[in-house]
């Protein structure tokens, strides 16, 4: 196995020096699978590559390497398999943009009929895609997979736009964000308020056994959720926030920080749910105003006064209100702490 | 319809059943491991039958998955096939178009999925009856396309399809005429399980999604290799051109009857005029030709059973001795003419034959022996235009064209036609004199009778 250099992800994440040695990250260990091996062509600081590496590796550990992955079209697929090379160290299939969940269903069915999903070394399935492949074009197949409770863990790497085709909006693009199809023009520049889909909540409405959200800011949490998901049979959904330096107009070294700020501002609630009920919520540790999260990203630059431009304080206030609503709705801050 | 060659065969038994049931039973005999489908007429009875077989425990081990769309059905089949399971689905018409993206993907990935297409017209206007527009729209998708003439052949072709698909790592579509075959009760010979098992070995893929030997399937391929990959798809179809007749021979030896193959000629040996067709209309054509032979006309029929790969050499050989070729087809390339004709013309390039395309039976319009006989008489007399439409109602067409010429504005054509039908009650039930009058009525100059005008230099098939 090749020597592995990957991300330096900071003290809050994998290299958490405050943890006991046995709990510490295995990020640089040569023991780990490196299911998504180095040498792929993701941008520097790509949150999706980071998220996928940890999620798939955790799933590999949870299944003792007995894992098959289906992948939707998108950055993850394109940067990892430039023919004749591949970064995938596990059986992996890419079919189309909109069908990763259904391909996962087919694989799971094949394993079931051959009796390989049980026994001593059960083979398990994950399906993965970007937010576009998940919330938009692949939504029908995903909902079908949930409804049938097929034994697949679906992982959505949410970078909040269609990055692979040049940063166009998806139904997971947040309000006010500038993308190539929600330009920073007009009275309310960027993506429209009140549009978009909250897929974790929609997944919960299917009452599937397990739904969780996570970010690449807390890879321990991410890995733990993947392990929990793999211990369950049936349809499971994991939604991971993966900042995209290119699409967000952010610095490559800010990927982890932005993911953390998304959570700490309340804009991206991190929680778990079983059979439609929320069972755990990751509390905000150091609450920050949404501006702290938005400001380092060029996709929100029009919200802030700069270079003689006035900015849009009223839009900023609406985003803050959204974050506040999340904090109330998901109980992201303890009442005591809040007071 | 002449009966399929006698049931002089070792095992199996004869039953009078619906075409869909026959296909469901044949597919079950092939021991598929994953079946998924989405309902659409006239395919429904096939998958309902299979669903019942799986649910009752008669077909096991098998996973039957009810999915939310045809796109998902083909996607599930892709996943299942890539993971090493024998996968089957069935669809028709809008369903086939809805799954089109995944149809191309299945062949690109070399997955030997077998799919029944219960051929049906494509809307709008919505129409559930038979023609071949659906499978012809997927002509270039890289699947093998076999066309069944009758229910026995439909049954037999499914068994051959799995064998062919898995040997060549190519998906196979078995096309059977919707309703005409799927809903017709005919006696069929059903083989024994043991016979089928001896003919069709289990699916053993060369490469499969397996943690023991991880592979990446479906990588992004750039300009440096894409052409090669596409050529290889063609090369595999060329191999199929050889394997299809061999498998048909093997099938005939084992089961005592011939089904499929590339093409099958009927009374073509001394024929001056040969009609080329696919699917169930071959039966009607053979009866018509028998009648014309009794009149002394030297006419034969060439049935195409493998539309993809297209058997250029076999078609050329079968037609080379004729003077005139009529391609009778139930599909239509709008703005050009026939779909199959284009391929037949390619097969005949350089040969100087009179060639005609006759588009017939679209949306289930009945193809009667009387109309076929009339059309063939015109062909023999040299008065049949290069492109014509069997039993097209010119009154409806002309009235609409006049309306459009008078008022250049967009409007719902389908509804207009229906309104016309309502105001012309005689049209559908026209008596013979009216029909004759309609045929004789001069067509407006600006309405081509179909395709190019008859021009002597244009007579030879290009
Ligand atoms: C049917 C179809 N429509 C459009 C595309 C083009 N396309 C490829 S990837 C992509 C966007 C992917 O976005 P997302 O799923 O969010 O993943 P990301 O690239 O952001 O990781 C699009 C639109 C396609 N491949 N297939
Ligand atoms: S565009 Fe974004 S998601 Fe795609 S590889 Fe670059 S950083 Fe990753």
């Amino acid at each position: 196995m090749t020597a592995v250099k990957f991300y330096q992800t900071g003290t809050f994440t994998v290299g958490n020096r405050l943890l006991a040695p046995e709990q510490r990250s295995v990020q640089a260990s040569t023991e780990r699978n490196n299911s998504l091996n180095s040498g792929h062509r993701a941008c520097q600081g790509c949150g999706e590559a980071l998220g996928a590496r940890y999620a798939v590796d955790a799933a590999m550990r949870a299944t003792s390497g007995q894992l098959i992955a289906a992948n939707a079209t998108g950055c993850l697929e394109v940067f990892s398999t430039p023919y004749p090379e591949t970064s995938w160290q596990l059986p992996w299939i890419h079919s189309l943009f909109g069908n990763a969940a259904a391909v996962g269903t087919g694989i799971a069915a094949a394993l079931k009929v051959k009796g390989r999903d049980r026994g001593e070394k059960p083979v398990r399935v994950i399906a993965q895609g970007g937010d576009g492949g998940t919330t938009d074009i692949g939504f029908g197949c995903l909902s079908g997979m949930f409804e049938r409770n097929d034994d697949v863990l679906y992982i959505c790497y949410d970078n909040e736009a269609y990055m692979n085709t040049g940063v166009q909006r998806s139904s997971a693009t947040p309000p006010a964000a500038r993308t190539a199809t929600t330009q920073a023009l007009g009275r309310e520049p960027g993506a429209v308020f009140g549009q978009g889909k909250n897929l974790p909540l929609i997944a919960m409405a299917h009452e599937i056994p397990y739904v969780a959200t996570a970010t690449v800011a807390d890879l321990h949490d991410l890995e733990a959720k993947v392990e929990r998901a793999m211990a369950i049979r049936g349809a499971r959904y994991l939604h991971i926030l993966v900042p995209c330096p290119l699409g967000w107009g952010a610095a490559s070294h800010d990927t982890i920080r932005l993911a953390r700020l998304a959570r700490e501002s309340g804009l991206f609630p991190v929680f778990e749910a079983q059979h439609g009920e929320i069972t755990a919520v990751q509390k905000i540790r150091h609450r920050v105003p949404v501006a702290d999260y938005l400001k380092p990203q060029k996709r929100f630059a029009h919200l802030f006064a700069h270079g003689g431009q006035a900015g849009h304080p009223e839009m900023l206030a609406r985003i803050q209100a959204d974050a506040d609503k999340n904090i109330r709705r998901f109980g992201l801050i303890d009442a005591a702490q809040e007071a | 319809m002449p009966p399929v060659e006698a049931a002089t065969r070792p095992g199996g038994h004869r039953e009078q059943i619906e075409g869909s049931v026959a296909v469901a039973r044949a597919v079950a005999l092939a021991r598929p491991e994953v079946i998924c489908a989405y309902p659409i007429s006239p395919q429904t009875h096939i998958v309902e039958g299979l669903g019942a077989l799986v649910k009752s425990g008669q077909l096991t081990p098998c996973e039957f998955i009810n999915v939310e769309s045809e796109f998902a059905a083909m996607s599930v089949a892709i996943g299942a096939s890539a993971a090493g399971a024998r996968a089957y689905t069935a669809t028709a018409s809008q369903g086939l178009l809805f799954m089109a993206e995944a149809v191309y993907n299945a062949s690109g990935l070399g997955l030997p999925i077998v799919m029944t297409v219960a051929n049906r017209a494509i809307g709008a206007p919505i129409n559930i009856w038979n023609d071949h527009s659906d499978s012809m729209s997927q002509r270039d998708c890289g699947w093998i396309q076999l066309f069944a003439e009758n229910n026995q052949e439909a049954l037999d072709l499914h068994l051959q399809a799995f064998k062919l698909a898995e040997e060549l790592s190519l998906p196979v579509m078995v096309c059977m005429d919707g309703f005409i075959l799927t809903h017709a009760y005919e006696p069929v010979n059903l083989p024994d399980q043991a016979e089928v098992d001896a003919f069709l070995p289990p699916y053993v893929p060369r490469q499969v999604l397996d943690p023991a030997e991880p592979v990446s399937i479906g990588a992004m391929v750039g300009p440096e290799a894409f052409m090669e990959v596409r050529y290889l798809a063609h090369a595999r179809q060329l191999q199929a051109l050889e394997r299809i007749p061999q498998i048909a021979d093997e099938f005939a030896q084992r089961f005592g009857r011939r089904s499929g193959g590339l093409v099958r000629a009927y009374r073509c040996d001394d024929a001056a005029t040969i009609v080329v067709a696919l699917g169930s209309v071959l039966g009607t054509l053979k009866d018509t030709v028998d009648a014309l032979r009794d009149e002394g006309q030297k006419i034969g029929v060439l049935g195409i059973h493998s539309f993809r790969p297209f058997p250029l050499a076999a078609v050329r050989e079968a037609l080379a001795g004729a003077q005139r070729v009529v391609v009778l087809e139930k599909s239509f390339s709008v703005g050009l003419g026939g779909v199959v004709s284009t391929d037949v013309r390619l097969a005949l390039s350089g040969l100087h034959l009179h060639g005609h395309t006759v588009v017939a039976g679209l949306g289930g319009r009945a193809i009667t022996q009387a109309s076929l006989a009339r059309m063939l008489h015109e062909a023999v007399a040299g008065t049949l235009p290069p492109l014509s439409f069997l039993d097209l109602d010119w009154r409806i067409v002309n009235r609409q064209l006049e309306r459009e010429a008078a008022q250049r504005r967009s409007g719902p054509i389908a509804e207009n036609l229906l309104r016309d039908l309502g105001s012309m009650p005689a049209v559908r039930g026209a008596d013979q004199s009216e029909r004759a009058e309609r045929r004789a009525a001069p067509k407006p100059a600006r309405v081509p009778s179909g395709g190019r005008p008859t021009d002597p230099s244009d007579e030879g098939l290009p």
Side-chain angles (χ1 to χ4, degrees), chain A residues 48 73-76 97 130-133 137 159 161-165, chain B residues 101:
Chain A
E48 187 157 303
T73 310
C75 268
L76 180 59
F97 188 21
D131 49 295
I137 199 167
N159 53 23
Y162 296 161
M163 298 314 178
N164 187 52
T165 37
Chain B
E101 191 194 7

Side-chain angles (χ1 to χ4, degrees), chain A residues 5-166:
Chain A
K5 318 180 275 306
F6 229 83
Y7 294 82
Q8 294 304 313
T9 49
T11 53
F12 272 103
T13 61
V14 286
N16 196 338
R17 292 183 299 267
L18 302 175
L19 288 172
E22 65 278 10
Q23 287 180 295
R24 278 189 200 163
S25 151
V26 289
Q27 76 158 314
S29 157
T30 49
E31 305 285 285
R32 61 178 296 153
N33 315 86
N34 294 304
S35 316
L36 174 62
N37 217 341
S38 55
H40 58 69
R41 284 122 198 244
C43 309
Q44 232 180 18
C46 172
E48 187 157 303
L50 177 62
R53 177 169 182 255
Y54 277 80
V56 181
D57 266 4
M60 284 288 269
R61 276 198 299 281
T63 58
S64 309
Q66 301 300 298
L67 188 69
I68 298 175
N71 211 119
T73 310
C75 268
L76 180 59
E77 164 259 330
V78 169
F79 73 59
S80 63
T81 64
Y83 170 90
E85 289 148 14
T86 178
S87 275
W88 298 100
Q89 309 294 306
L90 78 167
W92 178 95
I93 182 171
H94 158 247
S95 171
L96 294 165
F97 188 21
N99 70 356
V103 172
T105 294
I107 297 168
L111 294 173
K112 187 168 176 201
V113 77
K114 294 190 174 287
R116 298 198 62 188
D117 65 331
R118 333 233 131 216
E120 257 177 44
K121 288 166 94 185
V123 183
R124 309 292 301 283
V125 186
I126 58 170
Q128 42 187 1
D131 49 295
T134 304
T135 66
D136 295 331
I137 199 167
F139 183 65
C141 285
L142 182 64
S143 175
M145 184 208 107
F146 287 164
E147 169 248 323
R148 290 183 303 268
N149 201 23
D150 296 326
D151 189 22
V152 178
L153 167 63
Y154 190 99
I155 304 174
C156 170
Y157 300 105
D158 182 7
N159 53 23
E160 303 192 329
Y162 296 161
M163 298 314 178
N164 187 52
T165 37

Side-chain angles (χ1 to χ4, degrees), chain A residues 163-227:
Chain A
M163 298 314 178
N164 187 52
T165 37
V167 196
Q168 299 88 11
R169 116 180 239 286
S170 80
S171 56
T173 298
R178 167 175 56 78
T179 70
T181 49
T182 56
Q183 290 93 342
L185 301 171
R187 250 171 15 96
E188 292 198 352
V192 177
F193 279 84
Q195 288 189 356
K197 286 184 207 173
N198 189 328
L199 208 59
L201 293 184
I202 296 173
M204 281 169 60
H206 289 75
E207 307 217 349
I208 54 174
Y210 186 76
V211 173
T213 65
T215 78
V216 289
D218 193 343
L219 294 167
H220 281 302
D221 176 65
L222 167 59
E223 290 175 321
K225 282 171 176 165
V226 171
E227 276 166 32

